[in-house]
Amino acid sequence: MRFRQWITGIMAGRNGTDQLCRFLSIVTMVFLLLSLLIRGTGLSSVFWVLGLLCFFWGIFRSFSRNLARRQAENQAYLRLTRNIRGRFEGALGRFRQRKEYRFYRCPSCRTWLRVPRHKGKVQITCRQCGERFTRST
Ligand SMILES: [Zn+2]
């Protein structure tokens, strides 16, 4: 419990770990791994330095007391990556439901549509554009 209080005391009034920090720690690991994989080449040290920069940037952000600034950065990061994160979460959601549902893209507007499995051939009506098409489930 002492340790927790100590940590809480240190982190009081500081930014802590936000989404951008988590992203930076992943990028750090990717850079350091790449650097190890191609060690001996000139590019290896570039990746190493980039990895360290991301690492220290993440540490700096976690311990920063300028909360307004750090939150603005985090919001900018979330805004910039919204599309990518949305796609990733969509793919993850489809994967999780793969046993109960099949997923088809509307041939005209590319929206993802979900249909229950094991219903034979069904006519699917797109909820976005009204396009109808037949697929087997
Ligand atoms: Zn459609």
Side-chain angles (χ1 to χ4, degrees):
M1 243 36 241
R2 269 253 165 93
F3 181 71
R4 269 190 91 131
Q5 280 169 1
W6 180 67
I7 291 285
T8 312
I10 287 178
M11 293 314 285
R14 296 178 196 267
N15 190 50
T17 310
D18 55 18
Q19 288 93 336
L20 179 53
C21 281
R22 251 170 277 163
F23 175 72
L24 282 173
S25 56
I26 293 168
V27 175
T28 299
M29 280 187 278
V30 169
F31 274 137
L32 295 184
L33 259 175
L34 279 173
S35 165
L36 281 175
L37 284 173
I38 57 164
R39 65 175 174 272
T41 64
L43 205 57
S44 171
S45 24
V46 174
F47 283 149
W48 186 258
V49 170
L50 285 173
L52 286 185
L53 281 176
C54 288
F55 176 73
F56 286 115
W57 188 21
I59 297 282
F60 161 76
R61 293 195 73 261
S62 300
F63 285 92
S64 170
R65 287 185 190 277
N66 191 345
L67 297 187
R69 202 64 192 272
R70 300 290 87 79
Q71 276 161 15
E73 287 167 6
N74 194 46
Q75 287 308 314
Y77 158 74
L78 290 177
R79 245 191 337 271
L80 279 170
T81 57
R82 190 189 292 143
N83 282 336
I84 298 166
R85 282 180 300 114
R87 264 183 216 182
F88 181 73
E89 276 154 29
L92 198 68
R94 288 193 294 279
F95 182 75
R96 283 197 183 125
Q97 301 176 58
R98 72 194 179 282
K99 290 207 172 107
E100 295 93 59
Y101 298 97
R102 287 205 73 161
F103 293 87
Y104 288 110
R105 285 199 116 152
C106 168
S108 91
C109 73
R110 313 285 296 148
T111 302
W112 279 106
L113 300 167
R114 190 180 76 167
V115 284
R117 273 184 183 278
H118 315 301
K119 300 278 185 217
K121 271 196 178 249
V122 292
Q123 193 181 51
I124 304 167
T125 307
C126 176
R127 60 186 145 74
Q128 286 291 327
C129 68
E131 171 88 6
R132 284 164 185 238
F133 56 100
T134 313
R135 291 284 185 278
S136 58
T137 57

PDB file of all heavy atoms in Angstrom, residues 4 26 40 45 47 50 74 79 81 98 100 111 123-124 130 132 135:
ATOM      1  N   ARG A   4       1.843   2.225  -3.474  1.00  0.00           N
ATOM      2  CA  ARG A   4       0.744   2.845  -4.224  1.00  0.00           C
ATOM      3  C   ARG A   4       0.598   4.314  -3.852  1.00  0.00           C
ATOM      4  O   ARG A   4       0.411   5.163  -4.709  1.00  0.00           O
ATOM      5  CB  ARG A   4      -0.567   2.128  -3.925  1.00  0.00           C
ATOM      6  CG  ARG A   4      -0.853   1.002  -4.879  1.00  0.00           C
ATOM      7  CD  ARG A   4      -2.248   0.546  -4.664  1.00  0.00           C
ATOM      8  NE  ARG A   4      -3.155   1.271  -5.538  1.00  0.00           N
ATOM      9  CZ  ARG A   4      -4.067   0.654  -6.284  1.00  0.00           C
ATOM     10  NH1 ARG A   4      -4.187  -0.629  -6.243  1.00  0.00           N
ATOM     11  NH2 ARG A   4      -4.867   1.344  -7.057  1.00  0.00           N
ATOM     12  N   ILE A  26       3.859   1.787 -27.795  1.00  0.00           N
ATOM     13  CA  ILE A  26       3.839   0.770 -28.860  1.00  0.00           C
ATOM     14  C   ILE A  26       4.847   1.134 -29.944  1.00  0.00           C
ATOM     15  O   ILE A  26       5.640   0.298 -30.383  1.00  0.00           O
ATOM     16  CB  ILE A  26       2.417   0.635 -29.460  1.00  0.00           C
ATOM     17  CG1 ILE A  26       1.474   0.050 -28.413  1.00  0.00           C
ATOM     18  CG2 ILE A  26       2.444  -0.250 -30.708  1.00  0.00           C
ATOM     19  CD1 ILE A  26       0.016   0.141 -28.797  1.00  0.00           C
ATOM     20  N   GLY A  40      23.387  -3.600 -37.237  1.00  0.00           N
ATOM     21  CA  GLY A  40      24.583  -3.644 -38.067  1.00  0.00           C
ATOM     22  C   GLY A  40      24.473  -2.719 -39.266  1.00  0.00           C
ATOM     23  O   GLY A  40      25.468  -2.361 -39.878  1.00  0.00           O
ATOM     24  N   SER A  45      20.540   2.273 -36.307  1.00  0.00           N
ATOM     25  CA  SER A  45      20.738   3.297 -35.278  1.00  0.00           C
ATOM     26  C   SER A  45      19.707   4.413 -35.399  1.00  0.00           C
ATOM     27  O   SER A  45      19.329   5.019 -34.401  1.00  0.00           O
ATOM     28  CB  SER A  45      22.162   3.866 -35.321  1.00  0.00           C
ATOM     29  OG  SER A  45      22.715   3.700 -36.583  1.00  0.00           O
ATOM     30  N   PHE A  47      16.525   3.922 -36.244  1.00  0.00           N
ATOM     31  CA  PHE A  47      15.354   3.388 -35.551  1.00  0.00           C
ATOM     32  C   PHE A  47      15.547   3.410 -34.042  1.00  0.00           C
ATOM     33  O   PHE A  47      14.627   3.672 -33.286  1.00  0.00           O
ATOM     34  CB  PHE A  47      15.053   1.957 -36.016  1.00  0.00           C
ATOM     35  CG  PHE A  47      14.378   1.889 -37.359  1.00  0.00           C
ATOM     36  CD1 PHE A  47      14.585   0.819 -38.203  1.00  0.00           C
ATOM     37  CD2 PHE A  47      13.522   2.899 -37.765  1.00  0.00           C
ATOM     38  CE1 PHE A  47      13.950   0.749 -39.440  1.00  0.00           C
ATOM     39  CE2 PHE A  47      12.890   2.847 -39.004  1.00  0.00           C
ATOM     40  CZ  PHE A  47      13.108   1.766 -39.836  1.00  0.00           C
ATOM     41  N   LEU A  50      15.020   6.940 -32.873  1.00  0.00           N
ATOM     42  CA  LEU A  50      13.586   7.247 -32.953  1.00  0.00           C
ATOM     43  C   LEU A  50      12.829   6.569 -31.812  1.00  0.00           C
ATOM     44  O   LEU A  50      11.951   7.171 -31.185  1.00  0.00           O
ATOM     45  CB  LEU A  50      13.017   6.792 -34.301  1.00  0.00           C
ATOM     46  CG  LEU A  50      13.357   7.658 -35.515  1.00  0.00           C
ATOM     47  CD1 LEU A  50      12.885   7.007 -36.800  1.00  0.00           C
ATOM     48  CD2 LEU A  50      12.773   9.051 -35.365  1.00  0.00           C
ATOM     49  N   ASN A  74      -3.439  15.037 -26.880  1.00  0.00           N
ATOM     50  CA  ASN A  74      -4.126  13.743 -26.913  1.00  0.00           C
ATOM     51  C   ASN A  74      -5.376  13.819 -27.783  1.00  0.00           C
ATOM     52  O   ASN A  74      -5.659  12.905 -28.556  1.00  0.00           O
ATOM     53  CB  ASN A  74      -4.485  13.324 -25.481  1.00  0.00           C
ATOM     54  CG  ASN A  74      -4.881  11.865 -25.396  1.00  0.00           C
ATOM     55  OD1 ASN A  74      -4.208  11.004 -25.954  1.00  0.00           O
ATOM     56  ND2 ASN A  74      -5.968  11.584 -24.718  1.00  0.00           N
ATOM     57  N   ARG A  79      -8.240  12.653 -32.808  1.00  0.00           N
ATOM     58  CA  ARG A  79      -8.904  13.140 -34.020  1.00  0.00           C
ATOM     59  C   ARG A  79      -8.231  12.589 -35.270  1.00  0.00           C
ATOM     60  O   ARG A  79      -8.894  12.110 -36.180  1.00  0.00           O
ATOM     61  CB  ARG A  79      -8.851  14.677 -34.051  1.00  0.00           C
ATOM     62  CG  ARG A  79     -10.205  15.337 -33.963  1.00  0.00           C
ATOM     63  CD  ARG A  79     -10.187  16.819 -34.265  1.00  0.00           C
ATOM     64  NE  ARG A  79      -8.939  17.522 -34.088  1.00  0.00           N
ATOM     65  CZ  ARG A  79      -8.546  18.091 -32.960  1.00  0.00           C
ATOM     66  NH1 ARG A  79      -9.303  18.035 -31.875  1.00  0.00           N
ATOM     67  NH2 ARG A  79      -7.402  18.733 -32.895  1.00  0.00           N
ATOM     68  N   THR A  81      -6.449   9.938 -35.674  1.00  0.00           N
ATOM     69  CA  THR A  81      -6.460   8.483 -35.855  1.00  0.00           C
ATOM     70  C   THR A  81      -7.866   7.905 -35.791  1.00  0.00           C
ATOM     71  O   THR A  81      -8.026   6.692 -35.766  1.00  0.00           O
ATOM     72  CB  THR A  81      -5.598   7.807 -34.775  1.00  0.00           C
ATOM     73  OG1 THR A  81      -6.097   8.206 -33.495  1.00  0.00           O
ATOM     74  CG2 THR A  81      -4.144   8.197 -34.906  1.00  0.00           C
ATOM     75  N   ARG A  98     -18.112 -13.564 -35.652  1.00  0.00           N
ATOM     76  CA  ARG A  98     -18.068 -14.353 -36.879  1.00  0.00           C
ATOM     77  C   ARG A  98     -18.851 -15.658 -36.801  1.00  0.00           C
ATOM     78  O   ARG A  98     -19.247 -16.199 -37.816  1.00  0.00           O
ATOM     79  CB  ARG A  98     -16.620 -14.624 -37.280  1.00  0.00           C
ATOM     80  CG  ARG A  98     -15.898 -15.625 -36.375  1.00  0.00           C
ATOM     81  CD  ARG A  98     -14.417 -15.589 -36.614  1.00  0.00           C
ATOM     82  NE  ARG A  98     -13.707 -16.517 -35.750  1.00  0.00           N
ATOM     83  CZ  ARG A  98     -13.436 -16.295 -34.469  1.00  0.00           C
ATOM     84  NH1 ARG A  98     -13.822 -15.163 -33.899  1.00  0.00           N
ATOM     85  NH2 ARG A  98     -12.782 -17.183 -33.744  1.00  0.00           N
ATOM     86  N   GLU A 100     -21.822 -16.164 -35.230  1.00  0.00           N
ATOM     87  CA  GLU A 100     -23.272 -15.953 -35.323  1.00  0.00           C
ATOM     88  C   GLU A 100     -23.682 -15.184 -36.571  1.00  0.00           C
ATOM     89  O   GLU A 100     -24.807 -15.272 -37.008  1.00  0.00           O
ATOM     90  CB  GLU A 100     -23.802 -15.185 -34.110  1.00  0.00           C
ATOM     91  CG  GLU A 100     -23.674 -15.914 -32.781  1.00  0.00           C
ATOM     92  CD  GLU A 100     -22.393 -15.553 -32.070  1.00  0.00           C
ATOM     93  OE1 GLU A 100     -22.208 -14.363 -31.790  1.00  0.00           O
ATOM     94  OE2 GLU A 100     -21.559 -16.453 -31.840  1.00  0.00           O
ATOM     95  N   THR A 111     -20.917  -0.081 -47.408  1.00  0.00           N
ATOM     96  CA  THR A 111     -21.216  -0.178 -45.981  1.00  0.00           C
ATOM     97  C   THR A 111     -21.175  -1.647 -45.555  1.00  0.00           C
ATOM     98  O   THR A 111     -21.573  -2.519 -46.322  1.00  0.00           O
ATOM     99  CB  THR A 111     -22.639   0.366 -45.709  1.00  0.00           C
ATOM    100  OG1 THR A 111     -22.691   1.705 -46.154  1.00  0.00           O
ATOM    101  CG2 THR A 111     -22.977   0.317 -44.229  1.00  0.00           C
ATOM    102  N   GLN A 123     -32.061 -12.265 -49.166  1.00  0.00           N
ATOM    103  CA  GLN A 123     -31.939 -10.979 -49.841  1.00  0.00           C
ATOM    104  C   GLN A 123     -31.615  -9.942 -48.778  1.00  0.00           C
ATOM    105  O   GLN A 123     -32.297  -9.834 -47.759  1.00  0.00           O
ATOM    106  CB  GLN A 123     -33.236 -10.608 -50.562  1.00  0.00           C
ATOM    107  CG  GLN A 123     -32.990  -9.443 -51.500  1.00  0.00           C
ATOM    108  CD  GLN A 123     -34.239  -9.016 -52.223  1.00  0.00           C
ATOM    109  OE1 GLN A 123     -35.276  -8.793 -51.609  1.00  0.00           O
ATOM    110  NE2 GLN A 123     -34.141  -8.905 -53.539  1.00  0.00           N
ATOM    111  N   ILE A 124     -30.539  -9.206 -49.022  1.00  0.00           N
ATOM    112  CA  ILE A 124     -30.089  -8.213 -48.054  1.00  0.00           C
ATOM    113  C   ILE A 124     -30.418  -6.829 -48.594  1.00  0.00           C
ATOM    114  O   ILE A 124     -30.165  -6.552 -49.771  1.00  0.00           O
ATOM    115  CB  ILE A 124     -28.577  -8.343 -47.819  1.00  0.00           C
ATOM    116  CG1 ILE A 124     -28.237  -9.777 -47.374  1.00  0.00           C
ATOM    117  CG2 ILE A 124     -28.087  -7.338 -46.789  1.00  0.00           C
ATOM    118  CD1 ILE A 124     -26.759 -10.086 -47.413  1.00  0.00           C
ATOM    119  N   GLY A 130     -30.258   1.452 -49.499  1.00  0.00           N
ATOM    120  CA  GLY A 130     -31.435   0.743 -49.993  1.00  0.00           C
ATOM    121  C   GLY A 130     -31.144  -0.284 -51.074  1.00  0.00           C
ATOM    122  O   GLY A 130     -32.051  -0.950 -51.552  1.00  0.00           O
ATOM    123  N   ARG A 132     -30.377  -3.692 -52.915  1.00  0.00           N
ATOM    124  CA  ARG A 132     -30.726  -5.072 -52.538  1.00  0.00           C
ATOM    125  C   ARG A 132     -29.822  -6.034 -53.269  1.00  0.00           C
ATOM    126  O   ARG A 132     -29.545  -5.842 -54.457  1.00  0.00           O
ATOM    127  CB  ARG A 132     -32.168  -5.369 -52.903  1.00  0.00           C
ATOM    128  CG  ARG A 132     -33.158  -4.741 -51.957  1.00  0.00           C
ATOM    129  CD  ARG A 132     -34.526  -4.735 -52.564  1.00  0.00           C
ATOM    130  NE  ARG A 132     -35.406  -4.023 -51.654  1.00  0.00           N
ATOM    131  CZ  ARG A 132     -36.502  -4.571 -51.131  1.00  0.00           C
ATOM    132  NH1 ARG A 132     -36.849  -5.798 -51.454  1.00  0.00           N
ATOM    133  NH2 ARG A 132     -37.265  -3.874 -50.308  1.00  0.00           N
ATOM    134  N   ARG A 135     -27.204 -12.992 -50.941  1.00  0.00           N
ATOM    135  CA  ARG A 135     -25.994 -13.694 -50.522  1.00  0.00           C
ATOM    136  C   ARG A 135     -26.394 -14.933 -49.731  1.00  0.00           C
ATOM    137  O   ARG A 135     -27.473 -14.965 -49.133  1.00  0.00           O
ATOM    138  CB  ARG A 135     -25.122 -12.809 -49.616  1.00  0.00           C
ATOM    139  CG  ARG A 135     -24.465 -11.631 -50.298  1.00  0.00           C
ATOM    140  CD  ARG A 135     -23.281 -12.055 -51.138  1.00  0.00           C
ATOM    141  NE  ARG A 135     -22.593 -10.909 -51.702  1.00  0.00           N
ATOM    142  CZ  ARG A 135     -22.966 -10.260 -52.807  1.00  0.00           C
ATOM    143  NH1 ARG A 135     -24.054 -10.661 -53.462  1.00  0.00           N
ATOM    144  NH2 ARG A 135     -22.278  -9.230 -53.253  1.00  0.00           N
TER     145      ARG A 135
END
